[in-house]
Amino acid sequence: MGQRHTIRLRPYHRWTLVAAFAAAAISPLLTAPPAEAHMKGMFKTKQEAEKRAAELKCKGVFAMGSLWMPCANEQMLHKALQNE
């Protein structure tokens, strides 16, 4: 009644699939989630944020709620982090 159909992949297609699955599994490990990256750039005191700004070679700090972040604004912070 019901014939079962299977798709036969060529060897290079199989390796393409294996590589795609491996990349999908590994990529989350290579990049920090935005929230985690934010937490690494947040400091309890203005002085700590100023010290980190000097390390990143950016100017100024800004408040994010009750915490402080290095650089003049978030855009400058992301740019400085990319150049680090």
Side-chain angles (χ1 to χ4, degrees), residues 2-6:
Q3 249 184 334
R4 190 173 182 174
H5 297 294
T6 59

Side-chain angles (χ1 to χ4, degrees), residues 66-80:
S66 63
L67 299 175
W68 290 89
M69 296 186 80
C71 302
N73 56 47
E74 196 169 357
Q75 182 180 6
M76 297 303 292
L77 173 59
H78 287 282
K79 187 175 181 179

Side-chain angles (χ1 to χ4, degrees), residues 21-49:
F21 285 126
I26 292 172
S27 67
L29 303 174
L30 300 177
T31 58
E36 185 180 323
H38 263 257
M39 290 311 295
K40 288 182 180 179
M42 299 181 107
F43 300 91
K44 290 182 181 181
T45 68
K46 185 176 181 179
Q47 291 76 20
E48 291 174 313

